[in-house]
Amino acid sequence: CFLGSKAYPEENEYKAYLSQHGGRSNASTSMSHTTYQFDVLADHGEKALDIFSNFFISPLFTKGGTQREVQAVDSENSKNLVSDGRRRLQVLKSLADEKHHYSKFSTGNKITLPAGISEDSSDSGAAAGTETKTATTSTPEKHPLGDIMKGINDGEYNDADTAEFVRAALLAFHERHYRPKNMTAVMVGPQSLDELESWVVPRFGQIPDRWLNKEEDGNAENDGDGDNTNTDSSKKWRAMKLAAARLVDESSGDAPPVSIQGSVEPSSAFRPELQGGKWPVVVTTKPIQSVRKLHLLFPLPPSYQNPDQSPTTLLSHLFGHEGPGSPFAALQDAGYITSLSAGNRLSGPDHALFQIGVSLTAEGEAHWKDVVKVIFDYGRMVCRAAEDTMAAEEGDACKNGENELRRIWDEAAALDRIRFHQTSPGAVYSFAPAVAQSVSKYGPATCLSTGSGLNENGDTLPLQKTLQFCQRIIPENCFIERCSDDAWKEMEAMYEGKQSESKNEENNGSDFAFGKHTEKWYGVDYYVSPVDEEDVLRWETGADEVALHLPKPNRYIPRSLDLCEDLPEEAKVQRIEKPIEPPQLIVNKPNGRLWWRLDDRYALPKSKVTILLRTATAENKPMADPSADMRWDYNAKTSMQSRFLTSIFSDALAQDTYDSYLAGLGWSLSKSSSGFTLTCSGYSDRLSDLALKLLTDFSHVDGSADKTFLKESHFITTKDKIVRGLKSYLGSQRADTLAMYYRNLFLTSKGKGVMENLEMAEAMELADVAKQHQDIWTDDNMVVDIFYTGNVSQKEAEGFFDNTMNIIERTRSKVLQERAEQGKCSPWVPGPFERRLPPGEEIELHFSSKNPKEENGAVIVTYQSQIEGFKGKSLSSEESLQQSAAIRLLCKMIKEPLFNELRTKQQLGYIVSSYYDVNYSSRQSDFLDSSISTSATVPIQAVPLTTSIDSLVVYVLSRKEEPTEVANRIDDFLLNFRSRLEEMTPLEIVDYADSLALALTKPIRKLDGEAGIHMARIRRYGPETLIEGGSYSVDDLPWDNPEVLAGAIRKLDSNVLLQVYDSLVMKKESRSKIKSFVYGKTFPLKNEKFSRTGDKFSALSMEELMKKRKSLIGYDPSRNYPKVGSSLWNTLGKHKTTLRYAAAAAALVGFGVWGTIALKGRGEKTRKQ
């Protein structure tokens, strides 16, 4: 409700100022903190802080603003209703002691916060108590506020009264809790500490303690009811204020103080007597998504006051470990689980709830009790290890594992210290709120280091407490949550024809009954059932023959944190502000390239290596062409096989590489339209070893059981996971997610969507995946791009390249020896794809949500630019540069006023947003068959080419209006925005342009981010700049795009912006527009006729969508929709860049090798001997 203050009364002045000066803002509420945050360009920090601080000094809390924000709360709640995580959270709260603060409904909705009067009421509306057309008289029993309202106006009230009481409660809450002693302010910026202090102290020093001084301070700005001449109304308002203040004051002590300075008595929210007096019990819920979740939850003593010495830190590490000997390893080997995690589900000053959660396979679901037993067995083993250590230290005979727990604690603490010290500064937007919360909990002295284990080692292990905590990981201190369709069916069968004696959530122990219950706020049904005594006895007794043991020493802990010897002295301190030098191409061969950059900005012993196997085999199959070589064609089954392949690999390597994860080394293997990408990042010392190990494992194709990762157990797990995800996708996603799905299916997908993928996945066999694994290595046109950056010398990078290429060539040779010779495919560099929308035609996609819980509808409107986006100075025209710059700036200008109009004022929904979108489309293999060419011999479309595509996107998630009306509101806003754009002063344009330009050129602060940006450019533009005989070189790769775009943005004026806005949005004959609608329960899709003729097309089925999609062409400079009077030459004449490719292609005639995309010698540096 921070919409205006006495000093800045305009409701959107804060967000408008931030938007205009490169800023953003957010607010969030947890169980113990509400955090408000913003960032802005440094030069505008003081003014932004002044607006921000006045929210706390003199907020207005206008009646209209309050009512609209209450609607926003309800909209957010409706969004959460389809989230399995939120639904399970509400069930967990319903199991808690209703007298404990954790049990409270923590988000609010239109019942707990009635908006009253009317949705479009303004501050000049009726006073409290005034009857309106929408105000209806209620009785106290019909509303949660009824008991409170009894004492106001003789027990009678209407909707306007309840809404006004909510505002009175808001003001009372603000007075009671928004007090200086409860607040922590953190300001981060490049200014000196003295200057920042001079900004903050005078402003925040003005915040009054309204609660302490409420008798003297009438708070006139918040006290009025809009009609003080009405004596009855004023009397009612005063009564509301008193009742609200009493309510807020009484509830203020429900939750304990968050600071560790206070003394808090432990008070668990969960106890066996709340569920019949004896645990374990099983709580069963039915998911919306197709998941199989099993969680074991254990109330533990709070360790909130000293996170560095918390026993749950060690328990989380041990139970959540995925290496050999862990519960995960034992259960994965048995084929029971796909993932396992452990840690505090809740951690507060007065209570803690430890959770061990697993995702089950179908086999694991059938044996869930065996899964539980393994976890309890492991808990007993950890207890014995703690007891053995204590006994050994007390002088008894040596026992097994007597020093293991201290070694593990010491190892974990050492890794924590490395992480703390070896990092580059993060974004202030996340840093400031994190520090603010830490200060409020732990104080300023240790706010930055608490939780990092800086003073921990093997000797500091809290052994006694660890044993005490571990002794609580037992069945009688546990309740179990099951969330799956099969678990739900079991409970339905068990309780068929029965009813639980307790029908509501008013039970508290004595009147509890096993059976079906309904959660109060979300209406989620759940079962609570006992566990058979035989099962409990088995869980409590000796272990089965399962190989469980504590983690072995971590072999991936870095041996050295030294910086590279080649690094100059001045680069051995962090220089984040230093401009980034582009990577160097130091090896350039027909089948492989090595890009390398020695980091000189972060001064950290970290590196990142990316290996891109650029191959069409990831998603395509050769297609016979009688007149030429075979060409590649997209194949949905091949794409699904590759998806299986990467998922199986990740599953198979989980145990073996978990230690690397703990030691700060991350990795991933992914499939895309470009091929397969293996990425490894982390501490330099062991990074290349890990990457080569992973590549070696991935390249094993001999099928021997001891080497291959393609095992039946991992295949079954992967298939189950993929099939379940696809089966439940359409029926479990939010409306806006589905709207984006249908839009992307139309614009960018080559397949036929979820149902086709499901069909492919269900029919998949391990042999299919194994064959695809071999097919990858048979691609004669495969090119390997390796980018090695960070704390690595050129010599090390070259050695890594040689080792990588040796592994790949050995694998290729082995596969080709075993394969019969196959016909060659026409050379083609694969990549992403997007279709060009026809200008002048408006396309609409209308679909109903298949999610039975979805109340909201969604609209996504996309305007696709018909002028190719900017790729780089050498690769694009000035027209493309100006167009991309203008669209980026327009998207920035639109964002805040769109939110203010549709979200803040019209309250269409909780999610209202717009953004600049850039996509890419590569030249497709079917272009090889087209007739466009510049000579009789060489087709220009065979030259590798990636096109950049700019779009403006607006989307809304709403249950207030039907989706078509929401789309009309979006259209109205965009129409009216043109007038706003016309009236915008040159100074306003400069402010927007400067802020966007500075944001684009803001220094990158993390090596991972920098490496990702460089690799994206290599992936997109490497082939077209390095083609042999072409007019480009490695120097033409667009490393400096942010600076070039920033310069172009600063040159934009009103005329250019209006011209681009008109062509992109306003002019029907030139714009390319698509709307994607998804309809929820509130406003279902009606069987009405949508236009399918003229300049508008509507699809209401997958068949209509696919038929229309087939008529579209790919987005390529050499192709466009025909225009009257157009010619090929006129088309090409608009694309000078394409003509350069044509000339390059023509120059290749006679070489006979252009088709292999040979790259030898282009930009290659002399290698060290």
Side-chain angles (χ1 to χ4, degrees):
C1 288
F2 279 0
L3 299 174
S5 63
K6 287 184 68 176
Y8 299 96
E10 292 296 323
E11 286 190 353
N12 71 321
E13 193 159 357
Y14 174 54
K15 288 185 177 292
Y17 186 84
L18 294 178
S19 175
Q20 196 168 349
H21 297 97
R24 53 185 168 166
S25 64
N26 195 18
S28 59
T29 299
S30 67
M31 291 298 293
S32 58
H33 290 83
T34 296
T35 304
Y36 301 90
Q37 65 190 93
F38 75 87
D39 71 0
V40 72
L41 293 174
D43 290 344
H44 304 280
E46 186 173 15
K47 176 65 179 294
L49 182 67
D50 196 60
I51 302 174
F52 180 75
S53 62
N54 270 280
F55 289 146
F56 304 95
I57 297 169
S58 56
L60 292 182
F61 293 126
T62 61
K63 187 180 300 184
T66 301
Q67 290 176 346
R68 289 197 302 275
E69 287 307 300
V70 163
Q71 293 175 45
V73 169
D74 185 57
S75 295
E76 181 180 14
N77 183 71
S78 71
K79 169 182 69 70
N80 296 336
L81 295 177
V82 297
S83 165
D84 275 328
R86 287 281 188 171
R87 293 165 65 84
R88 289 171 48 227
L89 170 65
Q90 286 305 127
V91 170
L92 182 62
K93 284 176 170 287
S94 72
L95 298 172
D97 186 346
E98 65 178 11
K99 297 179 181 179
H100 194 279
H101 61 89
Y102 179 75
S103 69
K104 293 186 177 182
F105 183 38
S106 54
T107 56
N109 60 17
K110 63 185 178 183
I111 303 299
T112 62
L113 299 172
I117 307 181
S118 65
E119 293 183 342
D120 60 351
S121 63
S122 64
D123 298 320
S124 59
T130 302
E131 294 291 335
T132 69
K133 291 181 180 180
T134 58
T136 57
T137 302
S138 306
T139 57
E141 292 74 25
K142 291 185 178 181
H143 196 279
L145 295 178
D147 289 339
I148 299 172
M149 300 297 289
K150 283 180 180 179
I152 301 171
N153 201 34
D154 298 325
E156 289 192 359
Y157 62 94
N158 55 36
D159 291 344
D161 292 333
T162 56
E164 197 66 0
F165 180 78
V166 168
R167 180 166 172 264
L170 173 70
L171 296 175
F173 187 90
H174 182 261
E175 289 178 350
R176 182 67 177 80
H177 296 290
Y178 282 61
R179 306 163 65 184
K181 72 172 188 176
N182 292 339
M183 299 174 69
T184 302
V186 172
M187 187 81 180
V188 183
Q191 294 82 0
S192 69
L193 291 178
D194 288 341
E195 184 174 2
L196 292 176
E197 186 178 15
S198 72
W199 293 0
V200 173
V201 173
R203 290 177 171 87
F204 284 88
Q206 298 179 51
I207 300 174
D209 190 332
R210 293 180 176 84
W211 188 260
L212 187 63
N213 303 317
K214 63 179 180 175
E215 296 300 327
E216 294 80 21
D217 181 5
N219 286 320
E221 71 272 21
N222 294 333
D223 199 35
D225 62 4
D227 187 7
N228 288 327
T229 61
N230 187 318
T231 304
D232 291 339
S233 177
S234 297
K235 179 180 177 182
K236 185 192 298 183
W237 173 242
R238 286 195 296 272
M240 287 182 181
K241 286 186 64 180
L242 289 172
R246 186 165 51 250
L247 173 66
V248 168
D249 191 41
E250 289 173 353
S251 62
S252 65
D254 288 355
V258 298
S259 172
I260 63 171
Q261 305 303 319
S263 177
V264 177
E265 287 293 323
S267 173
S268 178
F270 303 92
R271 302 186 304 279
E273 56 265 29
L274 299 172
Q275 283 84 42
K278 185 177 181 181
W279 282 354
V281 296
V282 178
V283 180
T284 305
T285 58
K286 183 178 182 179
I288 296 176
Q289 292 185 319
S290 181
V291 297
R292 300 190 194 96
K293 299 287 187 182
L294 175 69
H295 290 91
L296 282 66
L297 298 112
F298 305 87
L300 295 179
S303 52
Y304 179 91
Q305 294 212 338
N306 192 354
D308 289 321
Q309 280 272 296
S310 172
T312 56
T313 300
L314 181 59
L315 295 184
S316 300
H317 176 79
L318 294 176
F319 281 95
H321 206 280
E322 295 182 11
S326 66
F328 171 84
L331 294 169
Q332 187 194 44
D333 291 345
Y336 288 170
I337 70 171
T338 60
S339 66
L340 184 149
S341 62
N344 273 336
R345 177 68 177 82
L346 305 172
S347 180
D350 61 338
H351 72 131
L353 188 66
F354 188 73
Q355 173 179 283
I356 302 170
V358 298
S359 294
L360 298 168
T361 63
E363 191 73 10
E365 183 75 74
H367 294 85
W368 70 269
K369 295 178 181 178
D370 296 327
V371 174
V372 172
K373 176 167 175 53
V374 169
I375 292 171
F376 283 128
D377 287 348
Y378 191 81
R380 283 194 298 276
M381 187 203 69
V382 175
C383 281
R384 286 196 300 271
E387 291 167 347
D388 289 348
T389 302
M390 292 181 65
E393 292 176 354
E394 291 171 0
D396 288 1
C398 293
K399 305 290 183 70
N400 291 331
E402 63 185 41
N403 294 314
E404 285 298 278
L405 290 181
R406 292 200 182 277
R407 174 189 61 78
I408 293 168
W409 181 267
D410 184 70
E411 188 178 270
L415 288 170
D416 284 343
R417 288 194 297 274
I418 292 174
R419 275 191 289 271
F420 182 83
H421 292 295
Q422 304 297 334
T423 186
S424 55
V428 295
Y429 192 64
S430 55
F431 177 73
V435 173
Q437 288 201 24
S438 187
V439 170
S440 71
K441 293 178 183 178
Y442 310 117
T446 60
C447 65
L448 298 179
S449 61
T450 297
S452 298
L454 297 187
N455 300 312
E456 299 303 309
N457 55 51
D459 294 334
T460 65
L461 169 68
L463 187 58
Q464 182 66 48
K465 288 185 68 175
T466 298
L467 177 59
Q468 292 172 356
F469 276 47
C470 195
Q471 287 171 341
R472 294 174 183 249
I473 309 299
I474 55 176
E476 66 186 48
N477 187 49
C478 174
F479 62 97
I480 300 169
E481 179 199 4
R482 297 180 68 196
C483 180
S484 70
D485 289 330
D486 287 344
W488 186 257
K489 291 174 183 176
E490 285 181 33
M491 290 300 102
E492 285 184 318
M494 178 185 295
Y495 288 99
E496 184 177 5
K498 302 177 184 178
Q499 289 185 341
S500 61
E501 297 174 9
S502 175
K503 281 297 190 180
N504 54 56
E505 298 308 317
E506 300 302 320
N507 61 81
N508 190 5
S510 60
D511 58 351
F512 171 83
F514 291 115
K516 191 174 184 180
H517 299 258
T518 300
E519 184 275 330
K520 181 176 182 179
W521 298 110
Y522 276 40
V524 182
D525 290 335
Y526 64 96
Y527 286 95
V528 182
S529 58
V531 179
D532 290 344
E533 291 293 337
E534 292 182 2
D535 293 319
V536 176
L537 182 62
R538 191 165 73 91
W539 292 344
E540 292 175 336
T541 54
D544 291 337
E545 295 299 320
V546 178
L548 296 174
H549 58 76
L550 295 174
K552 300 298 183 183
N554 190 329
R555 66 187 187 277
Y556 285 103
I557 293 177
R559 297 158 296 188
S560 170
L561 298 173
D562 294 339
L563 296 179
C564 178
E565 293 180 357
D566 296 347
L567 202 61
E569 284 300 317
E570 63 270 19
K572 293 183 178 179
V573 293
Q574 290 193 353
R575 304 183 297 175
I576 302 297
E577 305 301 320
K578 181 184 179 296
I580 300 173
E581 298 292 329
Q584 300 175 31
L585 179 61
I586 58 176
V587 180
N588 188 7
K589 297 181 177 181
N591 63 340
R593 298 181 283 257
L594 172 63
W595 308 79
W596 164 78
R597 172 173 147 70
L598 175 62
D599 168 53
D600 58 354
R601 300 174 69 244
Y602 306 103
L604 294 172
K606 293 182 177 181
S607 300
K608 183 170 186 176
V609 62
T610 302
I611 303 171
L612 169 60
L613 306 180
R614 202 186 287 270
T615 172
T617 59
E619 294 187 345
N620 305 272
K621 279 291 185 189
M623 183 177 181
D625 185 344
S627 62
D629 289 340
M630 292 187 293
R631 68 171 174 85
W632 294 103
D633 194 54
Y634 175 79
N635 186 278
K637 182 177 180 180
T638 300
S639 179
M640 183 57 67
Q641 288 169 344
S642 295
R643 179 176 173 182
F644 268 71
L645 187 64
T646 57
S647 182
I648 289 171
F649 186 73
S650 297
D651 193 60
L653 272 291
Q655 294 182 37
D656 201 21
T657 61
Y658 187 73
D659 274 349
S660 69
Y661 159 75
L662 292 177
L665 295 173
W667 70 272
S668 66
L669 176 70
S670 61
K671 181 271 295 184
S672 71
S673 55
S674 299
F676 296 91
T677 303
L678 175 64
T679 300
C680 298
S681 62
Y683 300 112
S684 315
D685 181 43
R686 307 267 193 181
L687 184 67
S688 61
D689 295 340
L690 174 64
L692 291 172
K693 171 197 161 38
L694 291 167
L695 183 63
T696 300
D697 290 344
F698 183 63
S699 63
H700 280 313
V701 293
D702 59 7
S704 57
D706 60 330
K707 291 184 177 181
T708 184
F709 63 91
L710 288 170
K711 293 182 167 60
E712 185 71 26
S713 59
H714 300 305
F715 171 77
I716 292 172
T717 297
T718 293
K719 182 173 182 177
D720 175 69
K721 186 165 48 177
I722 291 176
V723 168
R724 283 189 293 112
L726 291 170
K727 274 186 176 180
S728 67
Y729 182 82
L730 295 177
S732 63
Q733 298 300 311
R734 242 171 40 190
D736 52 335
T737 302
L738 293 175
M740 188 66 73
Y741 160 76
Y742 289 116
R743 189 206 70 168
N744 291 345
L745 182 64
F746 187 81
L747 272 183
T748 63
S749 175
K750 293 182 182 179
K752 298 178 182 179
V754 166
M755 300 314 295
E756 180 191 52
N757 289 337
L758 176 60
E759 181 182 344
M760 299 296 173
E762 289 180 325
M764 194 67 64
E765 300 291 342
L766 179 59
D768 299 325
V769 184
K771 183 178 182 302
Q772 169 64 2
H773 186 221
Q774 291 206 344
D775 287 347
I776 294 169
W777 309 105
T778 63
D779 181 11
D780 290 334
N781 301 313
M782 178 191 287
V783 177
V784 182
D785 270 307
I786 298 176
F787 177 37
Y788 209 153
T789 184
N791 187 47
V792 57
S793 68
Q794 180 174 336
K795 182 179 179 180
E796 291 171 318
E798 289 171 344
F800 179 83
F801 176 83
D802 290 338
N803 289 331
T804 298
M805 297 307 295
N806 287 338
I807 293 170
I808 292 172
E809 288 307 315
R810 282 199 306 268
T811 304
R812 283 175 49 79
S813 297
K814 182 176 180 59
V815 172
L816 292 173
Q817 285 175 3
E818 298 172 356
R819 286 281 187 99
E821 186 172 344
Q822 299 176 349
K824 291 188 176 181
C825 271
S826 298
W828 172 54
V829 179
F833 176 66
E834 180 163 330
R835 296 173 181 85
R836 187 190 288 270
L837 292 172
E841 183 177 8
E842 186 168 310
I843 296 172
E844 294 184 354
L845 311 175
H846 298 268
F847 289 92
S848 294
S849 171
K850 292 181 171 58
N851 187 336
K853 303 295 183 180
E854 180 60 276
E855 297 180 353
N856 292 285
V859 181
I860 295 179
V861 184
T862 303
Y863 293 88
Q864 184 192 72
S865 173
Q866 284 299 303
I867 297 176
E868 293 88 54
F870 177 70
K871 299 193 299 182
K873 287 184 298 186
S874 301
L875 306 179
S876 298
S877 66
E878 284 295 322
E879 181 186 25
S880 289
L881 174 58
Q882 186 180 77
Q883 181 84 357
S884 289
I887 293 176
R888 284 173 181 265
L889 185 55
L890 287 167
C891 290
K892 179 176 180 57
M893 292 173 166
I894 287 171
K895 188 175 181 69
E896 186 280 326
L898 175 88
F899 183 89
N900 184 54
E901 178 61 35
L902 301 186
R903 163 66 157 77
T904 304
K905 292 182 178 179
Q906 297 187 28
Q907 283 294 321
L908 282 186
Y910 182 72
I911 295 180
V912 175
S913 187
S914 64
Y915 59 91
Y916 164 77
D917 195 19
V918 58
N919 289 306
Y920 301 89
S921 189
S922 64
R923 182 155 283 160
Q924 300 299 297
S925 61
D926 62 348
F927 278 32
L928 297 170
D929 299 332
S930 72
S931 60
I932 300 176
S933 65
T934 57
S935 73
T937 308
V938 182
I940 66 168
Q941 61 269 30
V943 178
L945 177 66
T946 296
T947 304
S948 176
I949 307 161
D950 300 316
S951 298
L952 162 65
V953 181
V954 179
Y955 72 99
V956 176
L957 181 73
S958 174
R959 68 171 182 177
K960 180 177 179 180
E961 300 287 350
E962 60 181 333
T964 51
E965 175 58 25
V966 172
N968 291 337
R969 304 279 186 94
I970 294 172
D971 288 344
D972 289 344
F973 169 83
L974 294 174
L975 177 64
N976 294 328
F977 181 78
R978 194 192 188 280
S979 299
R980 181 188 181 104
L981 191 59
E982 276 186 301
E983 297 166 0
M984 200 172 288
T985 66
L987 183 59
E988 287 180 292
I989 294 175
V990 167
D991 282 342
Y992 277 115
D994 280 346
S995 68
L996 179 56
L998 288 169
L1000 284 171
T1001 56
K1002 184 168 59 176
I1004 300 170
R1005 311 188 74 83
K1006 297 290 183 181
L1007 177 65
D1008 268 4
E1010 178 188 312
I1013 291 170
H1014 285 321
M1015 188 62 207
R1017 290 172 182 148
I1018 292 168
R1019 182 193 300 265
R1020 292 178 194 131
Y1021 306 125
E1024 63 185 278
T1025 55
L1026 298 175
I1027 182 171
E1028 185 166 338
S1031 56
Y1032 296 118
S1033 73
V1034 67
D1035 296 328
D1036 292 308
L1037 267 153
W1039 308 116
D1040 59 351
N1041 269 8
E1043 291 75 21
V1044 176
L1045 279 166
I1049 287 168
R1050 287 191 167 104
K1051 294 178 182 177
L1052 296 171
D1053 59 25
S1054 178
N1055 291 332
V1056 173
L1057 291 171
L1058 286 168
Q1059 177 186 343
V1060 173
Y1061 190 77
D1062 286 344
S1063 65
L1064 182 70
V1065 176
M1066 300 300 295
K1067 293 182 178 179
K1068 290 184 178 180
E1069 65 275 13
S1070 65
R1071 73 186 182 195
S1072 297
K1073 179 181 180 183
I1074 180 171
K1075 297 178 180 178
S1076 183
F1077 298 86
V1078 169
Y1079 298 78
K1081 291 196 304 182
T1082 306
F1083 295 102
L1085 176 61
K1086 299 174 183 177
N1087 294 323
E1088 58 186 57
K1089 299 291 184 180
F1090 289 94
S1091 174
R1092 294 179 175 84
T1093 59
D1095 61 355
K1096 187 175 181 180
F1097 172 83
S1098 298
L1100 282 80
S1101 68
M1102 286 293 293
E1103 292 75 17
E1104 291 174 339
L1105 183 152
M1106 289 298 173
K1107 183 177 180 181
K1108 181 63 177 177
R1109 190 181 85 169
K1110 193 174 181 180
S1111 70
L1112 303 186
I1113 61 175
Y1115 203 118
D1116 188 280
S1118 63
R1119 282 185 169 180
N1120 211 328
Y1121 295 98
K1123 296 181 181 179
V1124 177
S1126 67
S1127 67
L1128 174 61
W1129 183 254
N1130 288 336
T1131 301
L1132 293 178
K1134 295 179 181 179
H1135 306 288
K1136 297 178 181 178
T1137 302
T1138 303
L1139 291 178
R1140 295 181 68 182
Y1141 289 122
L1148 295 174
V1149 178
F1151 283 82
V1153 294
W1154 69 269
T1156 63
I1157 316 300
L1159 306 166
K1160 187 175 181 180
R1162 303 295 303 155
E1164 183 171 358
K1165 301 191 72 163
T1166 303
R1167 296 183 64 179
K1168 295 182 179 180
Q1169 301 301 317

